[in-house]
mmCIF file with all atom_site columns, all heavy atoms in Angstrom:
data_model
loop_
_atom_site.group_PDB
_atom_site.id
_atom_site.type_symbol
_atom_site.label_atom_id
_atom_site.label_alt_id
_atom_site.label_comp_id
_atom_site.label_asym_id
_atom_site.label_entity_id
_atom_site.label_seq_id
_atom_site.pdbx_PDB_ins_code
_atom_site.Cartn_x
_atom_site.Cartn_y
_atom_site.Cartn_z
_atom_site.occupancy
_atom_site.B_iso_or_equiv
_atom_site.pdbx_formal_charge
_atom_site.auth_seq_id
_atom_site.auth_comp_id
_atom_site.auth_asym_id
_atom_site.auth_atom_id
_atom_site.pdbx_PDB_model_num
ATOM 1   N N   . ALA P 1 193 ? 27.001 38.980 -74.241 1.00 0.00 ? 193 ALA P N   1
ATOM 2   C CA  . ALA P 1 193 ? 26.753 39.533 -72.907 1.00 0.00 ? 193 ALA P CA  1
ATOM 3   C C   . ALA P 1 193 ? 26.620 38.463 -71.833 1.00 0.00 ? 193 ALA P C   1
ATOM 4   O O   . ALA P 1 193 ? 26.900 38.722 -70.666 1.00 0.00 ? 193 ALA P O   1
ATOM 5   C CB  . ALA P 1 193 ? 25.505 40.411 -72.929 1.00 0.00 ? 193 ALA P CB  1
ATOM 6   N N   . SER P 1 194 ? 26.187 37.241 -72.196 1.00 0.00 ? 194 SER P N   1
ATOM 7   C CA  . SER P 1 194 ? 25.993 36.258 -71.122 1.00 0.00 ? 194 SER P CA  1
ATOM 8   C C   . SER P 1 194 ? 27.144 35.273 -70.969 1.00 0.00 ? 194 SER P C   1
ATOM 9   O O   . SER P 1 194 ? 27.110 34.434 -70.081 1.00 0.00 ? 194 SER P O   1
ATOM 10  C CB  . SER P 1 194 ? 24.661 35.502 -71.278 1.00 0.00 ? 194 SER P CB  1
ATOM 11  O OG  . SER P 1 194 ? 24.130 35.614 -72.542 1.00 0.00 ? 194 SER P OG  1
ATOM 12  N N   . THR P 1 195 ? 28.150 35.367 -71.834 1.00 0.00 ? 195 THR P N   1
ATOM 13  C CA  . THR P 1 195 ? 29.285 34.446 -71.732 1.00 0.00 ? 195 THR P CA  1
ATOM 14  C C   . THR P 1 195 ? 29.951 34.515 -70.350 1.00 0.00 ? 195 THR P C   1
ATOM 15  O O   . THR P 1 195 ? 30.267 33.486 -69.758 1.00 0.00 ? 195 THR P O   1
ATOM 16  C CB  . THR P 1 195 ? 30.324 34.767 -72.828 1.00 0.00 ? 195 THR P CB  1
ATOM 17  O OG1 . THR P 1 195 ? 29.701 34.576 -74.092 1.00 0.00 ? 195 THR P OG1 1
ATOM 18  C CG2 . THR P 1 195 ? 31.525 33.862 -72.729 1.00 0.00 ? 195 THR P CG2 1
ATOM 19  N N   . GLY P 1 196 ? 30.134 35.720 -69.828 1.00 0.00 ? 196 GLY P N   1
ATOM 20  C CA  . GLY P 1 196 ? 30.849 35.881 -68.566 1.00 0.00 ? 196 GLY P CA  1
ATOM 21  C C   . GLY P 1 196 ? 30.184 35.140 -67.423 1.00 0.00 ? 196 GLY P C   1
ATOM 22  O O   . GLY P 1 196 ? 30.838 34.450 -66.641 1.00 0.00 ? 196 GLY P O   1
ATOM 23  N N   . PHE P 1 197 ? 28.869 35.263 -67.343 1.00 0.00 ? 197 PHE P N   1
ATOM 24  C CA  . PHE P 1 197 ? 28.133 34.590 -66.276 1.00 0.00 ? 197 PHE P CA  1
ATOM 25  C C   . PHE P 1 197 ? 28.292 33.077 -66.381 1.00 0.00 ? 197 PHE P C   1
ATOM 26  O O   . PHE P 1 197 ? 28.657 32.404 -65.405 1.00 0.00 ? 197 PHE P O   1
ATOM 27  C CB  . PHE P 1 197 ? 26.654 34.978 -66.361 1.00 0.00 ? 197 PHE P CB  1
ATOM 28  C CG  . PHE P 1 197 ? 25.769 34.228 -65.420 1.00 0.00 ? 197 PHE P CG  1
ATOM 29  C CD1 . PHE P 1 197 ? 25.710 34.568 -64.077 1.00 0.00 ? 197 PHE P CD1 1
ATOM 30  C CD2 . PHE P 1 197 ? 25.000 33.157 -65.865 1.00 0.00 ? 197 PHE P CD2 1
ATOM 31  C CE1 . PHE P 1 197 ? 24.905 33.874 -63.209 1.00 0.00 ? 197 PHE P CE1 1
ATOM 32  C CE2 . PHE P 1 197 ? 24.187 32.461 -65.005 1.00 0.00 ? 197 PHE P CE2 1
ATOM 33  C CZ  . PHE P 1 197 ? 24.141 32.814 -63.672 1.00 0.00 ? 197 PHE P CZ  1
ATOM 34  N N   . ASN P 1 198 ? 28.056 32.548 -67.585 1.00 0.00 ? 198 ASN P N   1
ATOM 35  C CA  . ASN P 1 198 ? 28.188 31.101 -67.789 1.00 0.00 ? 198 ASN P CA  1
ATOM 36  C C   . ASN P 1 198 ? 29.599 30.613 -67.466 1.00 0.00 ? 198 ASN P C   1
ATOM 37  O O   . ASN P 1 198 ? 29.778 29.570 -66.848 1.00 0.00 ? 198 ASN P O   1
ATOM 38  C CB  . ASN P 1 198 ? 27.857 30.746 -69.244 1.00 0.00 ? 198 ASN P CB  1
ATOM 39  C CG  . ASN P 1 198 ? 26.369 30.785 -69.518 1.00 0.00 ? 198 ASN P CG  1
ATOM 40  O OD1 . ASN P 1 198 ? 25.720 29.780 -69.665 1.00 0.00 ? 198 ASN P OD1 1
ATOM 41  N ND2 . ASN P 1 198 ? 25.808 31.965 -69.549 1.00 0.00 ? 198 ASN P ND2 1
ATOM 42  N N   . MET P 1 199 ? 30.586 31.420 -67.890 1.00 0.00 ? 199 MET P N   1
ATOM 43  C CA  . MET P 1 199 ? 31.974 31.039 -67.652 1.00 0.00 ? 199 MET P CA  1
ATOM 44  C C   . MET P 1 199 ? 32.283 30.931 -66.149 1.00 0.00 ? 199 MET P C   1
ATOM 45  O O   . MET P 1 199 ? 32.912 29.976 -65.706 1.00 0.00 ? 199 MET P O   1
ATOM 46  C CB  . MET P 1 199 ? 32.888 32.062 -68.307 1.00 0.00 ? 199 MET P CB  1
ATOM 47  C CG  . MET P 1 199 ? 34.347 31.855 -68.027 1.00 0.00 ? 199 MET P CG  1
ATOM 48  S SD  . MET P 1 199 ? 35.249 33.413 -68.127 1.00 0.00 ? 199 MET P SD  1
ATOM 49  C CE  . MET P 1 199 ? 34.701 34.258 -66.656 1.00 0.00 ? 199 MET P CE  1
ATOM 50  N N   . LEU P 1 200 ? 31.788 31.911 -65.388 1.00 0.00 ? 200 LEU P N   1
ATOM 51  C CA  . LEU P 1 200 ? 32.052 31.886 -63.941 1.00 0.00 ? 200 LEU P CA  1
ATOM 52  C C   . LEU P 1 200 ? 31.470 30.641 -63.290 1.00 0.00 ? 200 LEU P C   1
ATOM 53  O O   . LEU P 1 200 ? 32.103 30.008 -62.443 1.00 0.00 ? 200 LEU P O   1
ATOM 54  C CB  . LEU P 1 200 ? 31.434 33.109 -63.279 1.00 0.00 ? 200 LEU P CB  1
ATOM 55  C CG  . LEU P 1 200 ? 32.303 34.339 -63.119 1.00 0.00 ? 200 LEU P CG  1
ATOM 56  C CD1 . LEU P 1 200 ? 31.645 35.289 -62.144 1.00 0.00 ? 200 LEU P CD1 1
ATOM 57  C CD2 . LEU P 1 200 ? 33.677 33.953 -62.598 1.00 0.00 ? 200 LEU P CD2 1
ATOM 58  N N   . ILE P 1 201 ? 30.240 30.304 -63.685 1.00 0.00 ? 201 ILE P N   1
ATOM 59  C CA  . ILE P 1 201 ? 29.594 29.137 -63.090 1.00 0.00 ? 201 ILE P CA  1
ATOM 60  C C   . ILE P 1 201 ? 30.343 27.862 -63.481 1.00 0.00 ? 201 ILE P C   1
ATOM 61  O O   . ILE P 1 201 ? 30.566 26.972 -62.656 1.00 0.00 ? 201 ILE P O   1
ATOM 62  C CB  . ILE P 1 201 ? 28.123 29.051 -63.545 1.00 0.00 ? 201 ILE P CB  1
ATOM 63  C CG1 . ILE P 1 201 ? 27.392 30.351 -63.240 1.00 0.00 ? 201 ILE P CG1 1
ATOM 64  C CG2 . ILE P 1 201 ? 27.414 27.875 -62.898 1.00 0.00 ? 201 ILE P CG2 1
ATOM 65  C CD1 . ILE P 1 201 ? 26.978 30.536 -61.830 1.00 0.00 ? 201 ILE P CD1 1
ATOM 66  N N   . TYR P 1 202 ? 30.770 27.797 -64.759 1.00 0.00 ? 202 TYR P N   1
ATOM 67  C CA  . TYR P 1 202 ? 31.543 26.628 -65.183 1.00 0.00 ? 202 TYR P CA  1
ATOM 68  C C   . TYR P 1 202 ? 32.880 26.549 -64.430 1.00 0.00 ? 202 TYR P C   1
ATOM 69  O O   . TYR P 1 202 ? 33.316 25.463 -64.050 1.00 0.00 ? 202 TYR P O   1
ATOM 70  C CB  . TYR P 1 202 ? 31.797 26.660 -66.695 1.00 0.00 ? 202 TYR P CB  1
ATOM 71  C CG  . TYR P 1 202 ? 30.772 25.877 -67.479 1.00 0.00 ? 202 TYR P CG  1
ATOM 72  C CD1 . TYR P 1 202 ? 30.178 26.398 -68.610 1.00 0.00 ? 202 TYR P CD1 1
ATOM 73  C CD2 . TYR P 1 202 ? 30.413 24.590 -67.082 1.00 0.00 ? 202 TYR P CD2 1
ATOM 74  C CE1 . TYR P 1 202 ? 29.234 25.676 -69.335 1.00 0.00 ? 202 TYR P CE1 1
ATOM 75  C CE2 . TYR P 1 202 ? 29.483 23.864 -67.788 1.00 0.00 ? 202 TYR P CE2 1
ATOM 76  C CZ  . TYR P 1 202 ? 28.893 24.407 -68.917 1.00 0.00 ? 202 TYR P CZ  1
ATOM 77  O OH  . TYR P 1 202 ? 27.970 23.686 -69.607 1.00 0.00 ? 202 TYR P OH  1
ATOM 78  N N   . LEU P 1 203 ? 33.514 27.691 -64.234 1.00 0.00 ? 203 LEU P N   1
ATOM 79  C CA  . LEU P 1 203 ? 34.787 27.691 -63.492 1.00 0.00 ? 203 LEU P CA  1
ATOM 80  C C   . LEU P 1 203 ? 34.589 27.110 -62.096 1.00 0.00 ? 203 LEU P C   1
ATOM 81  O O   . LEU P 1 203 ? 35.387 26.287 -61.639 1.00 0.00 ? 203 LEU P O   1
ATOM 82  C CB  . LEU P 1 203 ? 35.324 29.113 -63.375 1.00 0.00 ? 203 LEU P CB  1
ATOM 83  C CG  . LEU P 1 203 ? 36.295 29.582 -64.449 1.00 0.00 ? 203 LEU P CG  1
ATOM 84  C CD1 . LEU P 1 203 ? 36.704 31.014 -64.183 1.00 0.00 ? 203 LEU P CD1 1
ATOM 85  C CD2 . LEU P 1 203 ? 37.518 28.688 -64.477 1.00 0.00 ? 203 LEU P CD2 1
ATOM 86  N N   . ALA P 1 204 ? 33.508 27.553 -61.440 1.00 0.00 ? 204 ALA P N   1
ATOM 87  C CA  . ALA P 1 204 ? 33.231 27.031 -60.100 1.00 0.00 ? 204 ALA P CA  1
ATOM 88  C C   . ALA P 1 204 ? 33.023 25.529 -60.167 1.00 0.00 ? 204 ALA P C   1
ATOM 89  O O   . ALA P 1 204 ? 33.497 24.781 -59.302 1.00 0.00 ? 204 ALA P O   1
ATOM 90  C CB  . ALA P 1 204 ? 32.009 27.723 -59.515 1.00 0.00 ? 204 ALA P CB  1
ATOM 91  N N   . GLY P 1 205 ? 32.334 25.078 -61.210 1.00 0.00 ? 205 GLY P N   1
ATOM 92  C CA  . GLY P 1 205 ? 32.101 23.642 -61.380 1.00 0.00 ? 205 GLY P CA  1
ATOM 93  C C   . GLY P 1 205 ? 33.403 22.895 -61.583 1.00 0.00 ? 205 GLY P C   1
ATOM 94  O O   . GLY P 1 205 ? 33.647 21.852 -60.965 1.00 0.00 ? 205 GLY P O   1
ATOM 95  N N   . LEU P 1 206 ? 34.271 23.439 -62.443 1.00 0.00 ? 206 LEU P N   1
ATOM 96  C CA  . LEU P 1 206 ? 35.554 22.781 -62.735 1.00 0.00 ? 206 LEU P CA  1
ATOM 97  C C   . LEU P 1 206 ? 36.404 22.662 -61.479 1.00 0.00 ? 206 LEU P C   1
ATOM 98  O O   . LEU P 1 206 ? 37.076 21.660 -61.257 1.00 0.00 ? 206 LEU P O   1
ATOM 99  C CB  . LEU P 1 206 ? 36.322 23.584 -63.786 1.00 0.00 ? 206 LEU P CB  1
ATOM 100 C CG  . LEU P 1 206 ? 35.870 23.429 -65.232 1.00 0.00 ? 206 LEU P CG  1
ATOM 101 C CD1 . LEU P 1 206 ? 36.617 24.412 -66.125 1.00 0.00 ? 206 LEU P CD1 1
ATOM 102 C CD2 . LEU P 1 206 ? 36.113 22.002 -65.709 1.00 0.00 ? 206 LEU P CD2 1
ATOM 103 N N   . GLN P 1 207 ? 36.358 23.725 -60.650 1.00 0.00 ? 207 GLN P N   1
ATOM 104 C CA  . GLN P 1 207 ? 37.204 23.709 -59.468 1.00 0.00 ? 207 GLN P CA  1
ATOM 105 C C   . GLN P 1 207 ? 36.730 22.716 -58.419 1.00 0.00 ? 207 GLN P C   1
ATOM 106 O O   . GLN P 1 207 ? 37.480 22.346 -57.539 1.00 0.00 ? 207 GLN P O   1
ATOM 107 C CB  . GLN P 1 207 ? 37.291 25.122 -58.884 1.00 0.00 ? 207 GLN P CB  1
ATOM 108 C CG  . GLN P 1 207 ? 38.333 25.932 -59.640 1.00 0.00 ? 207 GLN P CG  1
ATOM 109 C CD  . GLN P 1 207 ? 38.084 27.420 -59.590 1.00 0.00 ? 207 GLN P CD  1
ATOM 110 O OE1 . GLN P 1 207 ? 37.202 27.884 -58.872 1.00 0.00 ? 207 GLN P OE1 1
ATOM 111 N NE2 . GLN P 1 207 ? 38.837 28.168 -60.366 1.00 0.00 ? 207 GLN P NE2 1
ATOM 112 N N   . SER P 1 208 ? 35.472 22.292 -58.537 1.00 0.00 ? 208 SER P N   1
ATOM 113 C CA  . SER P 1 208 ? 34.989 21.348 -57.535 1.00 0.00 ? 208 SER P CA  1
ATOM 114 C C   . SER P 1 208 ? 35.212 19.890 -57.943 1.00 0.00 ? 208 SER P C   1
ATOM 115 O O   . SER P 1 208 ? 34.851 18.983 -57.216 1.00 0.00 ? 208 SER P O   1
ATOM 116 C CB  . SER P 1 208 ? 33.515 21.601 -57.246 1.00 0.00 ? 208 SER P CB  1
ATOM 117 O OG  . SER P 1 208 ? 32.763 21.317 -58.391 1.00 0.00 ? 208 SER P OG  1
#
Side-chain angles (χ1 to χ4, degrees):
Chain P
S194 17
T195 298
F197 173 78
N198 284 253
M199 175 207 72
L200 268 195
I201 305 282
Y202 265 134
L203 267 179
L206 282 173
Q207 278 154 8
S208 66

